[in-house]
């Protein structure tokens, strides 16, 4: 008998329907603790079923705008660094919802216990990432919601709401993999600004995002095996179907490989000929 107060899919639904960022992160972390406490007792709690919202609850701010309308600020200035942190906080809050959404939305598909362990852990880590970045914003005299944010962050979730493998391909294996490419540059920017606290927060995020990409790759390959599909060919098909645009180098090939993404998965999806004009890893 499960030691949880409610099935995991219902917990996921609760997080998705919580609007305030800090409250969402707190509930996410509490549910993760509850799940892993039950798992440590040798239980595989009931996953259950849920009907998640098409769009997760969000606070009144930030104002969500088309990416072209979000003001650009020079990253070398204090204002630019705050804007960058605000953008990262927005990404992390969306990631919290994306990881709970994959549990709630696809709970009708039978998966091993390890699948749920991985995505609960990823959601918990993303919740911590949101808190870390929000703490830094507040220490710098701002807060999440103070600036406009990207309105299109949930688009990949909407596009793949009926396609489990499409979700795994596009969210962890494309969007989160992109984070591996760009985060080292952000860390260096804050290092040059002598902001050691933000550097420390970003290094936590960078290290843990490798695991999230790896979860995507692992379970994508698992499902390809279940359905007797070639993983590389299926990845290319799904990314071309659901991802709007081409993948753009430079790529952090070392960290992508560590996460289970070999170059022949992503280079054919760029504008360039695979093996040519490769930039240095981000």
């Amino acid at each position: 008998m499960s030691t949880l107060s409610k099935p995991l899919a219902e917990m996921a639904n609760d997080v998705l329907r919580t609007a305030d960022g800090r409250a969402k992160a707190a509930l996410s972390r509490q549910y993760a603790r509850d799940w892993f406490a039950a798992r440590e007792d040798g239980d595989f709690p009931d996953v259950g079923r849920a009907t998640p919202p098409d769009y997760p609850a969000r606070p009144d701010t930030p104002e969500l705008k088309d990416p072209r309308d979000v003001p650009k600020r020079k990253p070398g200035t204090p204002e630019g660094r705050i804007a960058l942190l605000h953008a990262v906080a927005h990404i992390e809050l969306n990631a919290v919802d994306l990881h709970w959404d994959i549990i709630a939305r696809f709970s009708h598909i039978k998966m091993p216990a390890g699948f749920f362990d991985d995505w609960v852990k990823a959601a918990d880590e993303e919740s911590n990432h949101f808190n870390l970045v929000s703490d830094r914003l507040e220490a710098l005299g701002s807060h999440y919601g103070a600036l406009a944010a990207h309105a299109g962050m949930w688009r990949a979730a909407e596009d793949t709401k009926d396609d489990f493998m499409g979700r795994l391909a596009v969210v962890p294996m494309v969007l989160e993999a992109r984070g591996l490419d760009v985060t080292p540059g952000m860390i260096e920017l804050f290092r040059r600004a002598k902001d050691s606290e933000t550097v420390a927060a970003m290094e936590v995020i960078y290290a843990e995002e490798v695991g999230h990409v790896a979860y995507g790759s692992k379970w994508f390959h698992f499902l390809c095996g279940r359905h007797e599909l070639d993983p590389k060919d299926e990845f290319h098909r799904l990314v071309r179907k659901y991802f709007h645009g081409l993948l753009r180098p430079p790529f952090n090939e070392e960290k992508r490989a560590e996460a289970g993404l070999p170059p022949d998965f992503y280079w054919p999806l760029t504008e360039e000929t695979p093996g040519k004009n490769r930039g240095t890893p981000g």
Side-chain angles (χ1 to χ4, degrees), residues 82-102:
I82 285 173
L84 180 58
L85 282 173
H86 193 276
V88 173
H90 188 61
I91 290 168
E92 299 299 338
L93 189 63
N94 275 272
V96 174
D97 284 323
L98 283 165
H99 296 330
W100 284 111
D101 187 83
I102 201 170

Side-chain angles (χ1 to χ4, degrees), residues 191-249:
R191 185 173 283 120
R192 287 199 301 268
K194 303 189 186 315
D195 183 346
S196 58
E197 291 88 350
T198 300
V199 168
M202 295 299 292
E203 285 179 338
V204 169
I205 293 170
Y206 183 46
E208 293 179 346
E209 290 294 347
V210 175
H212 304 171
V213 179
Y215 298 157
S217 179
K218 175 172 71 173
W219 294 110
F220 182 81
H221 280 77
F222 172 86
L223 289 170
C224 285
R226 174 183 280 181
H227 299 296
E228 298 183 345
L229 297 167
D230 179 271
K232 182 171 64 176
D233 291 347
E234 188 65 5
F235 179 72
H236 291 166
R237 184 186 73 80
L238 290 167
V239 174
R240 289 184 176 116
K241 180 177 181 180
Y242 292 118
F243 184 70
H244 303 277
L246 296 165
L247 305 191
R248 301 191 182 280

Side-chain angles (χ1 to χ4, degrees), residues 128-140:
N128 183 48
H129 298 173
F130 175 76
N131 286 334
L132 288 172
V133 178
S134 295
D135 289 348
R136 292 308 304 143
L137 279 170
E138 290 164 18
L140 295 170

Side-chain angles (χ1 to χ4, degrees), residues 56 59 68 72 80 82 86 99 106 126 170 178 183 231 242 244 259:
R68 294 168 294 185
K72 302 291 190 295
I82 285 173
H86 193 276
H99 296 330
F106 301 105
E126 299 289 13
V170 173
R178 185 60 181 157
T183 303
Y242 292 118
H244 303 277

